Amino acid sequence: HGSNAANTNASFAYPEQGYETLLAYSVGSDTVELVPALATEVPTSENGLITEEGQVIEFPLREGVTFHTGGEMTAEDVVYSWERTMTMGLAPGASSLNDSIESMEAVDDYTFRVTLNRATTPIFLNNVVTNPAAAIVSQSAVEENGGVSEGQPNEYVAQNSVGTGPYML
């Protein structure tokens, strides 16, 4: 969320292992497929998670996911994480969130809903939701350690793991 875009290792290697997004890619020997990560399903019109002609997308979230700092991840953390990225404006991909989103809400603890400003669902799911800028962080850990400032990285987050990924530094 505040990494150096010119440093490939800093931008992708650790963030993709220490932080997770709602969706990710599964790469097979001859396929690349969009799969759930922190979400439990990939939204489609067929499963009813994409509505309003492609402008409203719901993500059912995995239950029991904990942050490296403790505490369970909820839909409020997803809203906070995306708003944080958009406010800071530092991460590569932050502008994609700003350019795409009309509104966001936590429907309940395990349902996140986003309304796009126009029907660009395939691009949004494949390029925005999977971008490291859309990784989910612990709202409580960030707020307890400096919060969010426009255009400024958070020193605590720069030195501590506040994500849900399988690896923690």
Side-chain angles (χ1 to χ4, degrees):
H1 286 228
S3 60
N4 177 352
N7 181 336
T8 303
N9 288 332
S11 295
F12 296 106
Y14 177 70
E16 289 186 356
Q17 301 302 316
Y19 294 88
E20 295 175 292
T21 53
L22 299 178
L23 304 175
Y25 286 107
S26 174
V27 179
S29 60
D30 58 352
T31 62
V32 176
E33 178 182 16
L34 200 57
V35 297
L38 291 174
T40 60
E41 295 181 70
V42 175
T44 65
S45 297
E46 291 77 26
N47 65 16
L49 297 174
I50 298 175
T51 59
E52 305 293 326
E53 297 169 356
Q55 282 190 263
V56 177
I57 306 169
E58 279 194 2
F59 295 90
L61 303 177
R62 288 183 8 219
E63 295 184 30
V65 175
T66 57
F67 288 106
H68 299 149
T69 53
E72 185 177 17
M73 181 207 65
T74 68
E76 288 292 339
D77 292 296
V78 178
V79 172
Y80 178 83
S81 297
W82 286 16
E83 286 177 346
R84 175 181 175 269
T85 297
M86 292 163 54
T87 298
M88 290 174 58
L90 298 173
S95 63
S96 297
L97 288 167
N98 284 324
D99 293 344
S100 303
I101 296 173
E102 181 178 302
S103 65
M104 297 179 281
E105 67 178 304
V107 176
D108 57 38
D109 283 349
Y110 303 107
T111 308
F112 169 69
R113 180 183 297 143
V114 61
T115 301
L116 305 179
N117 55 27
R118 60 189 173 283
T120 56
T121 306
I123 294 169
F124 186 76
L125 293 178
N126 286 288
N127 299 333
V128 180
V129 176
T130 58
N131 190 296
I136 310 308
V137 300
S138 167
Q139 176 177 352
S140 63
V142 174
E143 286 301 310
E144 290 169 9
N145 295 284
V148 179
S149 299
E150 185 175 346
Q152 297 293 317
N154 176 298
E155 286 187 38
Y156 179 82
V157 175
Q159 300 298 317
N160 297 277
S161 298
V162 297
T164 60
Y167 298 100
M168 180 175 77
L169 294 176

